[in-house]
Amino acid sequence: MTTGPATTGVRLAGTGMYVPEGIISNHDLEKRMDTSNEWILQRTGISERHIASLEDGECVLTMATTAAERALADAGLTSHDLDMLVLATVGSEMACPSTACRVMENLGGGNAAALDLTAACSGWVYGLNLAQSMVSSGAHQRVLVIGAEHLTKVVERSTRGRGVSILFGDGAGAAVLTADADPSLGVIAQRMYSDGSGWRELYIPRDERDFPEGEYEEWKVGLMQMNGRAVFKFAVKTFCELIKDTLDAAKLDASEVDMFICHQSNIRILEAARERFGLPEDKLYINIDRYGNTSAASVPICLDELRKAGRVKAGQKVMFVAFGGGLTWASSLWQL
Ligand code: UT7
């Protein structure tokens, strides 16, 4: 079923997540490079991150599939009920086919539109906004949005790559959106932006041609390159502006939002936003200590944990916020 009445409500019908069993703690990193548990905790808030096991075949495809299975089960649906599947990732397994198509096969098949979406850490929020528009317009009835990343595969694990190694972890999160007769459900306000002039601050080069002038070194090929300080400055400023912009569009005050579900990039960035809007600690969720930065997976992982803990539920207003490579940034304020 791919058509329906225009401007329907959109229900968040189910969520799921998956993180690999393997863990790299700060103490493990101390043994591999010139760093310390204290430095990492103080500068990022991270204690440990999960790592996909290459030996066991764990990858974006498998992690996305498991998170999606859990989200579908939570919504009481199967892959055959879906009209569209969006997989946000910077780690598509192949250029063709999309990993989304292979997730559909793993889930049991069906003919849903399936596509990968790349907007780095903003990817899942971009996907959520696109999916919500498809459902609220009546074009689709049921859409699955997944964020899945295997970033430990593209980080340098020696001291020369320590800024990146300490931050990133692997995992996947997913949510199912369904059309609903109640038109008040769904997005109240959303924002999506990019600034391509900042791409050099965070990129994963495939070959020599991808490097900005003067940056090429053979060891960097295939590995994430990040100007941590530049991204940090961009993030602190953008996060606060984005939240304000979205609240203004919705004509709401921060105190009227029940939960801020933000990309987990660095605890200092999250705390700056919390202080700026005077939010109590329990209104801006933080799990970066356990997972590190899982890029497009970080927001849906937070969402699933919050729903399962009963801290995010029907009737609430919730804001999703993310920023990342591109540069990109996006928000989505929901009436659940
Ligand atoms: O998801 C979106 C993508 N990325 C981000 O959001 C990342 C945003 N950036 C950050 O989170 C931070 O910039 C980092 C955590 C990556 C780095 O923290 P920082 O406070 O910006 O450190 P820095 O690069 O300014 O370096 C400060 C000092 C330097 O020493 P000196 O020159 O002051 O003596 C570094 O050499 O800290 C040193 N340093 C470290 N020391 C121990 C840098 N990385 C490490 C490390 N362990 N891992």
Side-chain angles (χ1 to χ4, degrees), residues 33-36 39-40 43-44 121 162-164 166-168 202 226-232 235 263-266 268-269 293 295 323-325:
M33 63 181 70
D34 174 22
T35 192
S36 69
W39 192 95
I40 301 172
R43 305 304 285 172
T44 70
C121 306
R162 64 185 174 170
V164 181
I166 59 160
L167 278 185
F168 294 98
L202 181 48
M226 182 178 75
N227 180 347
R229 223 176 270 193
V231 177
F232 188 91
H263 173 45
Q264 308 285 304
S265 58
N266 185 316
R268 291 183 289 146
I269 297 170
N293 179 342
S295 187
F323 69 90

Side-chain angles (χ1 to χ4, degrees), residues 185-234:
L185 300 187
V187 164
I188 305 167
Q190 58 93 355
R191 291 287 184 260
M192 294 196 278
Y193 298 105
S194 76
D195 176 6
S197 72
W199 76 265
R200 294 164 191 81
E201 312 299 4
L202 181 48
Y203 62 101
I204 307 172
R206 285 209 171 105
D207 62 43
E208 189 174 345
R209 287 172 308 170
D210 294 334
F211 286 85
E213 215 182 321
E215 292 295 321
Y216 172 69
E217 286 179 71
E218 204 182 341
W219 70 268
K220 294 179 177 174
V221 173
L223 297 175
M224 186 188 296
Q225 306 301 312
M226 182 178 75
N227 180 347
R229 223 176 270 193
V231 177
F232 188 91
K233 273 192 203 151
F234 154 76

